[in-house]
Amino acid sequence: MGYQTGFRMSDEREPADLDDVRQRLDALEDKLQARRPEEPPSGRRKEDKSQYAMAFRVSSDFIAAIFVGGLLGWFLDSFAGTSPFGLIVLLLLGFAAGVLNVMRTLGLVAEPRRFRPGKKDASTGNHPVTQDDKMNDRERR
């Protein structure tokens, strides 16, 4: 004889046991549904997508600046015979340009000011940039 346990095979279950299990399962599902957080509003998903897009843009700007600096340094070294100094210097300049682009994109550093001819600001001696000038610059882009 084989080893016997206190468990029955699933084919031997009575229909009453299945109904009880279904009722308990439905009650548990209702409790879980009450505890689950609600779906975020659709605007939240758009914000998440725009944050992913911004992260992708920032990282690609940074990597591209380093890549361009390294490529220009390699070309300079191959034509001028200054290996590896051109590569090192332009790679570092590419890194600095990448960091500056990231900081500008994130708004941590202001865009370079564009000066227009006209009266100078008394405190700085520079030509002031007005809101109209900023709007015209955006329209030109």
Side-chain angles (χ1 to χ4, degrees):
M1 289 240 190
Y3 184 98
Q4 292 185 353
T5 63
F7 298 109
R8 292 186 270 167
M9 298 291 287
S10 62
D11 293 337
E12 297 175 4
R13 285 192 178 168
E14 297 175 14
D17 289 344
L18 289 176
D19 290 337
D20 182 46
V21 169
R22 284 188 184 125
Q23 288 175 356
R24 289 176 36 209
L25 190 59
D26 289 341
L28 179 62
E29 183 63 36
D30 291 340
K31 287 180 183 178
L32 287 174
Q33 189 64 30
R35 289 187 178 195
R36 284 187 188 136
E38 293 182 16
E39 291 287 324
S42 61
R44 171 87 177 170
R45 291 181 185 153
K46 289 179 184 177
E47 288 177 7
D48 290 344
K49 288 181 183 178
S50 68
Q51 290 174 354
Y52 285 127
M54 178 64 81
F56 185 75
R57 177 182 173 210
V58 165
S59 63
S60 62
D61 282 350
F62 183 66
I63 291 169
I66 294 172
F67 181 74
V68 168
L71 193 63
L72 289 174
W74 182 75
F75 278 127
L76 177 72
D77 283 342
S78 65
F79 288 121
T82 59
S83 183
F85 299 109
L87 176 66
I88 293 170
V89 169
L90 288 177
L91 193 64
L92 290 174
L93 283 175
F95 179 80
V99 169
L100 184 61
N101 282 340
V102 167
M103 292 175 68
R104 279 185 186 158
T105 301
L106 298 178
L108 300 175
V109 174
E111 292 282 333
R113 291 183 64 174
R114 296 192 177 120
F115 300 110
R116 301 185 64 83
K119 58 182 178 178
K120 293 185 177 184
D121 186 9
S123 63
T124 62
N126 296 329
H127 298 283
V129 177
T130 63
Q131 280 297 110
D132 294 335
D133 293 335
K134 290 179 185 178
M135 292 297 280
N136 291 336
D137 288 342
R138 286 187 197 125
E139 291 171 2
R140 279 188 227 132
R141 290 184 198 172

